[in-house]
Amino acid sequence: VSTSPQRNTPTTQRSAPTQDSVRRQNLGALLRYVHVSGATSRAELTNQLGLNRSTIGALTADLAGAGLIDEGVPQETGRAGRPSLVVRPRSSRVYGYAMSIEVDRLRAARVGLGGKVLDSRELPRPHGTAVHDTVATLAGFVRDMQHAVAAAGPADAVFVGSGIAVSRMMRHADGTVRMLPAGPPLSPDAGLGARLGLDREPVTGNVADLAALAEHTRGAATGLDNVVYLHGDAGISAGIIAGGRRVTGHGGHGGEVGHMVVNPQGRDCGCGSRGCWETEIARSVPLDRDAVLAVVEAAGSDPAARAAVRQAADWLGFGVANLVNVFNPTTVVFGGALRELYLAGAAHVRGRLSTMALPACREHVRLRTPLLGDDAPLVGAAELAFERLLRDPLETADAAA
Amino acid sequence: VSTSPQRNTPTTQRSAPTQDSVRRQNLGALLRYVHVSGATSRAELTNQLGLNRSTIGALTADLAGAGLIDEGVPQETGRAGRPSLVVRPRSSRVYGYAMSIEVDRLRAARVGLGGKVLDSRELPRPHGTAVHDTVATLAGFVRDMQHAVAAAGPADAVFVGSGIAVSRMMRHADGTVRMLPAGPPLSPDAGLGARLGLDREPVTGNVADLAALAEHTRGAATGLDNVVYLHGDAGISAGIIAGGRRVTGHGGHGGEVGHMVVNPQGRDCGCGSRGCWETEIARSVPLDRDAVLAVVEAAGSDPAARAAVRQAADWLGFGVANLVNVFNPTTVVFGGALRELYLAGAAHVRGRLSTMALPACREHVRLRTPLLGDDAPLVGAAELAFERLLRDPLETADAAA
């Protein structure tokens, strides 16, 4: 897509760069590099960031001064000559909180810069618990982890931000799963930070978007610019990366691919429509991880279960083909409950793809499973927690210290 | 979408900014501003670009020195005090060529910086003419316009680039329209520039993408970040803007929304699949501008035509609802042959949208028709022609002079 003009019309024009903003951007780029890649030699940073050695030296000095990185001599390289200093994120000092409110569980983790999980908590989400009612549980997790870090140190540990992945679904008391009503399910405007015992507002995103962000940053889609990540968790939502950027839509509600209608003669869906993609799949195999596993296991000996897997995988491929025609991705990742369904019915998925997607759109598509597995939403929430720091390292570190 | 982290992992890391690149970026931002907005006072530039007056002065001096803009005293403002100088693009001096290869016609225009059409040519595209065979006709257009500018001046006119919008469809000798085979229909690698009589390679894009770019830059979607532009021209392709950027997919083949399957029991489609969106619409109303107009006109008196419009509009809304669930846009624009169909059946389109799209995804959607009408692909191609100049004004102007 090197010929794609990047749009920059007056109405969305951002301020033009100044020397200050350039320095901030370079500091952010360097810190992001070591956050994602881990320990990196100065030589590699020089190379990767396209800056000269003295600039890299000045930037690392600033970041080290702010307590965000440290530098050291690398382990034996086996090469002659003076080794290049290695820059590492200070993972045990600089941390954020990542939380996820999923259909059936609540999780929180204290995560160090560099993506290292330092501490974590998890509980089932009781059926019928509204998103807002989960905040007290999450606040308990946070309090616990705050006490742990206060007791065990390090003494100079510094909290830089938090992120929360929120599912758009909830399981009702009767066991059924329903979409939440429209509107942001959890708004940082409402003093959410204070209710969580945090002195700055968290950043929120939805589970599929953040799982996609995680796989894109550290998983099966690292470095890929056009990715459709499908998350099966009661329904199907997508996290979409196009041209290297997340596609979230105007209100952050994009990616509701499960409610793409694929069968006008299909079954009524809980959303009020009929023949939605996720509903047609769930006619054969309910989109719950446990249910999928049970059917897939039974398919080894039970012809009815085998037929159910075949039908569900066929519908899965049907919707994937539509998305491939729309997005021309290189990679489709099957996450959450879709992972096992895809693995059990890959031939049917591929069959639909080859008959329904245009050759030009599908020719470079690879079908993948997640590398981060069930941790993807939480890992993605942690990326949100560090966003502000990575945009403006010194200012954020200063405000946090 | 202010909370969306912008991705910047190592593998896609671009070089970090230096002073040179900052200056280039600021020159580009200023030139782009006047290219899109026309004559602009220095005061407004200072304000819009977030740079101080002396920087704006230095940038305009550089751009004026390169012959890209001029500055003058504004017309009577009615205000007291010394008026701010007005910066204008030098539209008659700095120009590019825009071309479009549509299903039924070939067009070319000489377009001045600022988007001003200085000269234009058009011929029907003979049925069965492959894209490559249209190049000779376009080269004739270009030669003609080159002679005209050589004869009539200005003497210092300077050519900075060209863009071509290419339809993915062609009309065969028997009148049927078919998709082109996979692969880029027109590749600048093959010495295309030389065959067109141009001393630099053109930039190519597809008709729907460039029509969307045009409406986004100067039309019904100006300044909007999440837009689905639907182009009806034998089939349906989409040009998609998400988060302010074009979504084109890995090979530029994204947006093939016409081949999203909406009806598993539907009619066979020329693409090899069945029940594709565009095929279901075309069962009732063929997606040709003339055919649409004929049916829409007949609907005034003929119940059968009225039923056809209703059915086609109903299917139109069906697919729009799916795209709204996927993209959560603020704006859907109905272009090409879809314009009249939408206008004749808007109630049915809205009906489908309200029953099939999720409230969260549709609540801010506005349905619109294009402002640029049939010129959109050509206007979009002109934007491509200026892309390089707007990215690096001085270097490009220098190489062109």
Side-chain angles (χ1 to χ4, degrees):
Chain A
V1 290
S2 60
T3 58
S4 303
Q6 298 203 346
R7 215 186 134 264
N8 205 9
T9 60
T11 42
T12 57
Q13 180 70 55
R14 291 170 188 281
S15 292
T18 59
Q19 289 216 20
D20 258 14
S21 72
V22 169
R23 179 161 163 271
R24 192 160 54 232
Q25 205 176 323
N26 286 340
L27 287 164
L30 198 161
L31 190 61
R32 188 181 292 270
Y33 196 94
V34 299
H35 169 65
V36 173
S37 306
T40 306
S41 70
R42 280 198 184 192
E44 186 180 338
L45 289 170
T46 304
N47 202 15
Q48 292 286 344
L49 301 183
L51 294 166
N52 63 35
R53 281 165 52 181
S54 66
T55 304
I56 292 289
L59 295 170
T60 54
D62 283 348
L63 293 171
L68 299 172
I69 58 163
D70 54 24
E71 295 194 273
V73 178
Q75 298 180 313
E76 187 54 61
T77 59
R79 291 208 207 141
R82 205 174 63 169
S84 178
L85 285 176
V86 164
V87 178
R88 300 187 196 84
R90 291 191 61 183
S91 300
S92 60
R93 177 178 187 268
V94 182
Y95 69 91
Y97 288 109
M99 291 165 248
S100 86
I101 304 172
E102 295 163 68
V103 172
D104 290 326
R105 62 179 159 185
L106 303 171
R107 294 193 279 177
R110 194 165 71 84
V111 181
L113 184 64
K116 188 173 176 188
V117 175
L118 304 167
D119 196 354
S120 68
R121 301 286 187 275
E122 176 171 345
L123 279 173
R125 177 177 174 187
H127 292 189
T129 320
V131 167
H132 283 279
D133 299 336
T134 63
V135 172
T137 306
L138 295 178
F141 288 161
V142 168
R143 204 162 43 236
D144 247 32
M145 293 191 282
Q146 284 171 332
H147 290 159
V149 69
D156 64 347
V158 55
F159 163 69
V160 294
S162 64
I164 313 183
V166 187
S167 173
R168 289 170 184 161
M169 315 274 194
M170 73 177 283
R171 190 177 296 277
H172 288 257
D174 63 3
T176 59
V177 174
R178 293 272 163 70
M179 291 214 55
L180 297 167
L186 201 59
S187 165
D189 309 334
L192 181 58
R195 290 166 62 206
L196 288 166
L198 300 172
D199 58 11
R200 51 178 68 182
E201 290 302 323
V203 183
T204 61
N206 85 66
V207 162
D209 273 338
L210 296 185
L213 173 63
E215 290 291 336
H216 188 229
T217 309
R218 304 173 181 280
T222 302
L224 301 175
D225 280 346
N226 294 282
V227 178
V228 173
Y229 173 94
L230 298 171
H231 194 72
D233 185 16
I236 303 179
S237 302
I240 290 157
I241 311 281
R245 288 164 178 267
R246 286 164 67 203
V247 170
T248 55
H250 171 67
H253 304 293
E256 285 294 357
V257 298
H259 297 282
M260 175 171 69
V261 176
V262 293
N263 188 5
Q265 281 80 43
R267 184 173 286 192
D268 285 348
C269 177
C271 76
S273 186
R274 146 196 287 215
C276 290
W277 185 29
E278 62 183 48
T279 313
E280 295 304 297
I281 295 175
R283 279 167 89 146
S284 308
V285 178
L287 285 173
D288 248 302
R289 197 181 322 258
D290 292 348
V292 172
L293 279 174
V295 178
V296 165
E297 246 180 62
S301 55
D302 173 4
R306 205 147 49 233
V309 168
R310 192 173 57 237
Q311 281 155 20
D314 191 55
W315 277 116
L316 180 59
F318 194 108
V320 168
N322 278 356
L323 295 173
V324 164
N325 280 339
V326 172
F327 289 104
N328 182 204
T330 57
T331 309
V332 178
V333 184
F334 296 87
L338 291 181
R339 181 178 184 278
E340 301 302 325
L341 179 58
Y342 163 68
L343 290 173
H348 302 287
V349 174
R350 287 179 198 285
R352 278 293 188 185
L353 196 60
S354 68
T355 55
M356 286 178 52
L358 299 175
C361 296
R362 69 174 144 83
E363 62 179 348
H364 298 293
V365 173
R366 297 180 60 182
L367 307 182
R368 305 286 302 272
T369 54
L371 279 184
L372 301 165
D374 290 347
D375 288 341
L378 203 61
V379 172
E383 296 306 317
L384 290 191
F386 292 113
E387 257 324 300
R388 191 172 148 196
L389 178 73
L390 299 177
R391 259 200 316 267
D392 190 353
L394 304 189
E395 182 73 28
T396 307
D398 206 43
Chain B
V1 287
S2 61
T3 58
S4 303
Q6 299 203 345
R7 215 187 135 262
N8 205 8
T9 60
T11 43
T12 57
Q13 179 69 57
R14 290 172 188 278
S15 292
T18 59
Q19 289 216 19
D20 257 12
S21 72
V22 169
R23 180 163 162 271
R24 195 161 50 233
Q25 205 175 322
N26 286 340
L27 287 164
L30 198 161
L31 190 60
R32 189 182 292 271
Y33 195 93
V34 298
H35 169 65
V36 173
S37 306
T40 307
S41 71
R42 280 198 187 192
E44 186 181 339
L45 289 170
T46 304
N47 202 16
Q48 292 286 344
L49 301 182
L51 294 167
N52 62 36
R53 280 167 52 183
S54 66
T55 304
I56 292 288
L59 295 171
T60 54
D62 283 348
L63 293 171
L68 299 172
I69 59 164
D70 54 26
E71 294 193 274
V73 177
Q75 299 179 311
E76 188 53 60
T77 61
R79 292 206 207 144
R82 203 174 66 168
S84 178
L85 285 175
V86 164
V87 178
R88 301 185 195 86
R90 291 191 61 182
S91 300
S92 59
R93 176 178 188 268
V94 183
Y95 70 90
Y97 288 109
M99 291 165 249
S100 87
I101 303 172
E102 295 164 64
V103 173
D104 289 326
R105 62 179 159 184
L106 303 172
R107 293 194 278 179
R110 194 165 71 85
V111 181
L113 184 63
K116 186 172 177 192
V117 175
L118 304 168
D119 194 355
S120 67
R121 301 286 187 279
E122 177 171 344
L123 279 173
R125 176 177 175 188
H127 292 188
T129 320
V131 167
H132 284 278
D133 299 336
T134 63
V135 172
T137 305
L138 296 178
F141 288 161
V142 168
R143 205 164 40 235
D144 247 30
M145 293 191 282
Q146 284 171 333
H147 290 160
V149 68
D156 65 346
V158 54
F159 163 70
V160 295
S162 64
I164 312 183
V166 186
S167 172
R168 290 170 183 162
M169 315 273 195
M170 71 177 281
R171 189 176 297 276
H172 289 259
D174 63 0
T176 60
V177 174
R178 294 274 162 69
M179 291 214 52
L180 297 168
L186 201 60
S187 165
D189 308 335
L192 182 57
R195 289 165 63 206
L196 289 166
L198 300 172
D199 59 11
R200 49 179 65 183
E201 289 303 321
V203 183
T204 61
N206 85 66
V207 162
D209 274 339
L210 296 184
L213 173 64
E215 289 291 336
H216 188 229
T217 309
R218 304 172 181 281
T222 302
L224 301 175
D225 280 346
N226 294 283
V227 178
V228 173
Y229 172 93
L230 297 171
H231 194 72
D233 184 15
I236 303 180
S237 302
I240 291 157
I241 312 281
R245 287 164 179 267
R246 287 164 66 203
V247 171
T248 55
H250 171 66
H253 304 293
E256 284 295 356
V257 298
H259 296 282
M260 174 171 70
V261 177
V262 294
N263 188 5
Q265 282 80 43
R267 184 172 288 192
D268 285 348
C269 177
C271 76
S273 186
R274 147 195 287 215
C276 291
W277 185 29
E278 62 184 46
T279 312
E280 295 305 297
I281 295 176
R283 278 167 88 146
S284 308
V285 178
L287 284 172
D288 248 303
R289 195 182 323 256
D290 292 347
V292 171
L293 279 173
V295 178
V296 165
E297 246 181 60
S301 55
D302 173 4
R306 204 147 51 235
V309 167
R310 190 172 59 237
Q311 281 155 19
D314 191 56
W315 277 116
L316 180 59
F318 195 108
V320 168
N322 278 356
L323 295 173
V324 164
N325 281 339
V326 172
F327 289 104
N328 184 203
T330 57
T331 308
V332 178
V333 183
F334 297 87
L338 291 180
R339 180 177 185 278
E340 300 303 325
L341 179 58
Y342 163 69
L343 289 173
H348 302 286
V349 174
R350 287 180 198 285
R352 278 293 187 183
L353 197 60
S354 68
T355 55
M356 287 177 52
L358 300 174
C361 296
R362 70 172 144 82
E363 63 179 345
H364 297 294
V365 173
R366 297 182 59 184
L367 307 183
R368 304 285 302 273
T369 54
L371 278 186
L372 300 166
D374 291 347
D375 288 342
L378 203 60
V379 172
E383 295 307 316
L384 290 190
F386 291 113
E387 258 321 303
R388 191 173 148 195
L389 179 73
L390 299 177
R391 259 199 317 270
D392 189 353
L394 302 189
E395 182 73 29
T396 307
D398 206 41

